[in-house]
Amino acid sequence: MSDALQYQKQKELFGHPVGLYILFFTEMWERFSYYGMRALLTLYLVQKTTGDNPGLGWLDSESIMLYGWYTMLVYVMSIPGGIIADRYLGQKRAVLYGAIILCLGHGVLAFDAYWAFFTGLSLIVLGVGLLKPNISTMVGGLYKQGDIRRDKGFSIFYIGINLGSLLATFIVGYVGEEINWHYGFGLAGIAMVLGLLVYLYGQRYLEHVGNKPTQAEKEGDISYASLLGKLRSSPLQLGIVILIVFYAIYAGFTYEGIDNWGYTALYIFIALVAGVLMMIYKTLDTKILKDRFLVLLLSFLLVIVFWGAFEQAGGLMSIYTKTKTDRMLFGMEIPATWFQSLNAGFIILFATVVAGYWAKRKLKGKEASSIFKMAIGTMIMGLGFVFMIFAARQYNIEGSSAMYWLVLAYLFHTIGELCSSPVALSFITKLAPVKYASLMMGVYFAATGLGNKVAGIVGEKASEFGEYSVFAGITIFTVLIGVLVIALLKPLKRLTHGAEDNEREILEQEQYELANEDIKSSN
């Protein structure tokens, strides 16, 4: 059956393929399970081993360290997860197997045992690595090339992500923190089973997307092993990779802490990715492609900075909320996990407002490039830690800090995320060379994962320097990085070679069409 007929045969609901809503609910329940686990993780680790709801009794620094490794690996595994789907399984089966592995991981976590805890975390990392990058690809596959509904479809899908996050932090957070940690882990697993059942039920609506690649498609794929092989004829690039590998070995023997060999594996992974990226740059045959590729790599550094600060929410800020915030409201103590729902709630409230602001700004001819929005988003998010500085100062004086500092911090973090995160994904599709687009999306997720690891490293320093110093340092660093990017904006935009120059015309055309529709409906 031709692609055109396959698209034509799709059943629709509210103007979109029914498959979109299948993927919406699958991802909603997957994110419910992930963010429910995220809300509980550090609090469970630091909870004392005695009492009605005992935890593992770890130090704050130890729990934040594990949180950093866990959240990094969840995103870094998107690279092999995407490659496995592209080369062997197809996105549809990869999502299925990822969902099954996630169910097993959350199910194992329901057992109160050390082996179960680490086994469950490992399975969740593998499951998310298979599911996360491939379900997004399937959403795009529901729409044929040039279908104007695609952006709206992704917006609907994004609502599912945040709805799952919002529900999880309330429900799983309360059950785990107030009743039993392992009940909370088990509840997250039940949610993932619901997501798997929805996905299995909806297979008939996903017949033409994410299928196993044909032999011809495999032969046309890029061999990343062959790109690494070309390093032998590139002395400078080979030397850089070898230096990183030697540093990895050095880290294994000299770094303090139980995770020293973890850093060895991380640096070797970075060396391999760096080698592939350098070889991709050499294979690009025009100056425009090479310049855009460089800008894209620089934007990934901004991504690492952004998430390195933002992801304090699940680590340092989570522990701070539990131990140093006065959470009494109308005679009831609010669970610490509930504060993590503020991000998802604010996203649902302000997503269209922020998007509308940038659209109006572009229509007026003012600066609204992706790099500019990412820099502004990083600065706004960083300024949210000013409120955490005030909270830490109040705690040092009074012995506890008020809840409203957290609310204001999460508000600024969310506005910054809305300026930066969706834009970064769009920016990749504009600048990445077409034949490397999937890899660059995987590298984006890996950069997000590295940002999560940076968040863990920074959060660990709070036990040494104190929260006040850490929050102040994050604020200063993120604002300085944002200012630096804005100062370099003109040369960076020149290197994009007009990749975003036609967006104002497209917006004007969309507004014109909407106005005509309003006139027709009123008549």
Side-chain angles (χ1 to χ4, degrees):
M1 185 184 295
S2 69
D3 289 344
L5 285 175
Q6 285 179 327
Y7 284 114
Q8 190 176 348
K9 286 187 68 176
Q10 288 190 96
K11 291 186 178 180
E12 294 191 354
L13 180 66
F14 302 121
H16 289 273
V18 173
L20 173 66
Y21 302 100
I22 298 299
L23 298 178
F24 172 100
F25 285 108
T26 302
E27 178 72 349
M28 185 191 81
W29 288 119
E30 186 274 327
R31 290 289 90 183
F32 182 100
S33 69
Y34 174 77
Y35 281 105
M37 170 66 192
R38 176 180 177 268
L40 298 179
L41 182 57
T42 53
L43 298 181
Y44 169 67
L45 291 171
V46 301
Q47 180 70 20
K48 294 178 180 179
T49 56
T50 57
D52 295 333
N53 190 17
L56 295 184
W58 288 20
L59 298 174
D60 289 0
S61 58
E62 292 173 335
S63 64
I64 293 173
M65 176 190 70
L66 179 65
Y67 174 81
W69 281 110
Y70 167 70
T71 52
M72 180 197 74
L73 288 171
V74 160
Y75 287 103
V76 166
M77 285 302 293
S78 293
I79 290 184
I83 292 172
I84 288 169
D86 288 341
R87 298 284 299 174
Y88 306 108
L89 297 178
Q91 286 83 26
K92 189 152 53 182
R93 284 191 182 180
V95 170
L96 174 63
Y97 296 155
I100 293 171
I101 293 170
L102 279 168
C103 291
L104 292 173
H106 286 291
V108 169
L109 279 174
F111 293 98
D112 186 3
Y114 235 68
W115 68 267
F117 179 69
F118 288 104
T119 302
L121 286 184
S122 300
L123 289 171
I124 291 172
V125 166
L126 295 174
V128 175
L130 276 174
L131 188 147
K132 181 68 177 170
N134 294 306
I135 196 169
S136 298
T137 304
M138 289 179 67
V139 172
L142 292 170
Y143 303 90
K144 62 183 177 181
Q145 197 66 32
D147 192 328
I148 60 173
R149 300 175 301 166
R150 182 180 300 204
D151 286 350
K152 292 179 181 178
F154 269 106
S155 297
I156 293 170
F157 185 70
Y158 194 64
I159 290 172
I161 292 172
N162 289 285
L163 185 58
S165 171
L166 182 65
L167 293 173
T169 44
F170 274 113
I171 300 172
V172 176
Y174 177 81
V175 171
E177 186 179 358
E178 300 297 326
I179 302 174
N180 186 284
W181 300 107
H182 298 281
Y183 291 173
F185 296 145
L187 183 58
I190 292 171
M192 193 60 244
V193 170
L194 290 174
L196 176 60
L197 292 175
V198 169
Y199 187 69
L200 289 171
Y201 167 78
Q203 289 299 294
R204 54 183 166 168
Y205 302 110
L206 303 168
E207 289 180 351
H208 74 289
V209 292
N211 291 314
K212 188 176 180 179
T214 64
Q215 189 59 39
E217 289 172 333
K218 288 182 182 179
E219 291 171 358
D221 283 345
I222 303 132
S223 171
Y224 300 115
S226 67
L227 283 174
L228 283 173
K230 292 179 181 179
L231 280 170
R232 289 175 295 179
S233 58
S234 305
L236 176 61
Q237 288 79 7
L238 180 61
I240 293 172
V241 171
I242 290 173
L243 281 174
I244 299 174
V245 171
F246 272 119
Y247 189 78
I249 297 170
Y250 171 81
F253 283 105
T254 60
Y255 277 23
E256 295 181 359
I258 59 173
D259 58 345
N260 53 333
W261 288 104
Y263 279 105
T264 298
L266 174 61
Y267 294 147
I268 290 175
F269 170 79
I270 290 172
L272 294 175
V273 173
V276 168
L277 293 177
M278 287 187 290
M279 288 301 98
I280 288 175
Y281 179 80
K282 288 195 71 174
T283 63
L284 299 176
D285 50 12
T286 69
K287 186 177 186 302
I288 290 177
L289 287 175
K290 288 188 173 184
D291 287 348
R292 288 178 174 177
F293 192 75
L294 285 176
V295 176
L296 201 54
L297 295 182
L298 289 172
S299 74
F300 289 156
L301 295 178
L302 197 57
V303 167
I304 293 172
V305 171
F306 180 90
W307 292 107
F310 182 91
E311 276 299 322
Q312 299 302 325
L316 179 60
M317 286 178 65
S318 180
I319 294 173
Y320 184 92
T321 304
K322 177 75 172 179
T323 59
K324 297 184 177 181
T325 302
D326 179 7
R327 293 176 281 117
M328 296 301 297
L329 183 66
F330 303 123
M332 168 189 164
E333 186 175 49
I334 300 175
T337 49
W338 283 14
F339 286 86
Q340 292 188 44
S341 68
L342 290 169
N343 175 241
F346 285 144
I347 284 177
I348 293 170
L349 287 174
F350 295 111
T352 56
V353 176
V354 173
Y357 167 79
W358 287 114
K360 289 177 182 177
R361 185 178 173 88
K362 185 175 283 290
L363 282 170
K364 292 178 181 178
K366 295 181 179 180
E367 182 60 57
S369 62
S370 293
I371 287 284
F372 180 75
K373 286 189 270 190
M374 290 170 70
I376 292 295
T378 301
M379 293 170 67
I380 293 173
M381 182 274 303
L383 289 172
F385 283 97
V386 170
F387 302 109
M388 295 308 300
I389 295 172
F390 290 143
R393 182 174 179 274
Q394 185 179 24
Y395 175 81
N396 290 337
I397 296 171
E398 302 176 13
S400 68
S401 59
M403 288 184 291
Y404 53 76
W405 298 122
L406 285 166
V407 175
L408 290 169
Y410 277 115
L411 174 61
F412 271 63
H413 290 178
T414 303
I415 300 299
E417 179 187 1
L418 289 171
C419 291
S420 182
S421 184
V423 171
L425 287 169
S426 177
F427 199 50
I428 294 168
T429 64
K430 296 171 188 174
L431 296 190
V434 175
K435 61 181 178 179
Y436 298 116
S438 296
L439 174 67
M440 297 313 293
M441 190 64 75
V443 174
Y444 164 78
F445 281 118
T448 302
L450 289 174
N452 279 260
K453 181 55 186 166
V454 169
I457 294 170
V458 173
E460 288 176 52
K461 299 300 180 184
S463 60
E464 182 179 351
F465 299 106
E467 288 94 347
Y468 185 94
S469 297
V470 170
F471 292 144
I474 293 173
T475 302
I476 294 168
F477 185 74
T478 50
V479 171
L480 286 177
I481 289 294
V483 170
L484 177 62
V485 172
I486 292 173
L488 297 172
L489 190 61
K490 286 186 178 180
L492 288 174
K493 285 180 67 177
R494 281 198 298 269
L495 290 174
T496 66
H497 294 277
E500 299 179 303
D501 286 352
N502 65 335
E503 290 186 343
R504 181 180 174 186
E505 289 76 10
I506 293 172
L507 279 169
E508 289 174 343
Q509 180 63 28
E510 287 180 352
Q511 289 212 340
Y512 175 77
E513 290 173 358
L514 286 172
N516 281 342
E517 288 179 7
D518 289 341
I519 291 171
K520 289 177 183 177
S521 61
S522 63
N523 291 335

